[in-house]
């Protein structure tokens, strides 16, 4: 199994067994059931290629309303969280430069994700930890539409943090580590 295939399989499992199972994103279950999540693997060793793929995925979403969201799984090149953050900053600027500000939003996930105001070992970080680094493209119009029908959307982050604290750092870390051990 190739590294890309392993990374995509681990990401699919993470979406099902972590994001949906723990209701981290209250909207992911619906998209999973509908089959509207697109998974794309790309090496980020060559940032221009990875960023070109990001814009290609924006264009694909532009022309394919049946795809709700794209998870761009970065299979190599940004294992270091600081490198990932540098790529993320460029990706966000690129979306603006390409006219996608207000159209698409990037959500960020990384195995070592750490919020700016958090200690690395805090369970809250696991709300944005994934088996592989990724850029998650979401349509802003879809987010707005979903939030209209969701009671108290402002409470989602606090609810997620509480859930991560209940699960505990060791359990969360073990789940994530298990997903990274897909055969290559």
């Amino acid at each position: 199994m190739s590294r890309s295939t392993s990374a995509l399989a681990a990401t699919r499992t993470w979406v099902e067994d972590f994001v949906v199972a723990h209701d981290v994103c209250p909207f992911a279950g619906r998209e999973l059931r509908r089959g509207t999540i697109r998974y794309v693997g790309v090496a980020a060793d060559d940032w221009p290629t990875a960023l070109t793929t990001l814009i290609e995925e924006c264009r694909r979403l532009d022309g394919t309303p049946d795809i709700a969201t794209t998870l761009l799984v970065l299979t190599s090149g940004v294992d270091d969280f600081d490198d990932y953050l540098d790529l993320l900053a460029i990706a966000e600027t690129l979306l603006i430069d390409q006219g996608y500000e207000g159209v698409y939003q990037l959500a960020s996930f990384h195995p070592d994700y750490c919020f700016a105001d958090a200690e690395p070992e805090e369970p809250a970080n696991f709300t944005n930890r994934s088996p592989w680094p990724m850029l998650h493209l979401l349509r802003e119009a879809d987010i707005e539409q979903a939030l209209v029908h969701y009671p108290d959307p402002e409470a989602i982050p606090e609810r997620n943090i509480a859930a991560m604290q209940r699960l505990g750092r060791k359990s969360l870390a073990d789940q994530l580590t298990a997903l990274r051990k897909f055969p290559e």
Side-chain angles (χ1 to χ4, degrees):
M1 184 180 293
S2 74
R3 182 177 181 96
S4 181
T5 302
S6 294
L8 293 175
T11 301
R12 282 186 187 96
T13 300
W14 171 75
V15 168
E16 294 171 15
D17 295 349
F18 181 77
V19 175
V20 173
H22 296 299
D23 201 29
V24 175
C25 173
F27 316 110
R30 175 179 171 224
E31 300 312 326
L32 182 66
R33 288 187 300 279
R34 292 172 57 197
T36 60
I37 301 171
R38 179 170 161 78
Y39 301 86
V40 176
V42 63
D45 300 305
D46 175 14
W47 287 15
T49 298
L51 294 166
T52 297
T53 302
L54 175 69
I55 297 305
E56 288 170 354
E57 287 305 311
C58 289
R59 292 183 183 130
R60 182 179 312 278
L61 288 170
D62 288 344
T64 315
D66 293 345
I67 300 171
T69 188
T70 297
L71 296 174
L72 187 63
V73 181
L74 307 170
T75 60
S76 60
V78 288
D79 290 336
D80 181 80
F81 185 53
D82 288 330
D83 291 343
Y84 169 80
L85 290 176
D86 291 343
L87 179 65
L88 174 63
I90 294 167
E92 289 173 337
T93 300
L94 182 61
L95 286 182
I96 294 166
D97 291 347
Q98 294 294 309
Y100 286 115
E101 183 176 25
V103 178
Y104 297 110
Q105 181 181 109
L106 274 180
S108 57
F109 297 92
H110 189 279
D112 297 321
Y113 197 95
C114 185
F115 290 104
D117 58 347
E119 293 297 320
E121 298 304 312
E122 287 183 31
N125 293 317
F126 283 87
T127 63
N128 286 66
R129 287 193 180 170
S130 57
W132 294 89
M134 72 179 79
L135 301 172
H136 181 188
L137 270 171
L138 303 120
R139 285 188 185 91
E140 292 216 7
D142 289 351
I143 295 168
E144 291 169 11
Q145 178 76 18
L147 292 176
V148 166
H149 302 290
Y150 189 83
D152 198 17
E154 296 81 20
I156 294 171
E158 292 81 21
R159 180 185 52 90
N160 284 342
I161 290 168
M164 297 303 106
Q165 289 171 337
R166 279 190 305 277
L167 290 167
R169 193 206 66 75
K170 181 171 178 0
S171 171
L172 292 164
D174 289 349
Q175 288 177 50
L176 206 55
T177 298
L179 288 171
R180 288 282 303 199
K181 292 186 179 179
F182 270 74
E184 293 197 37

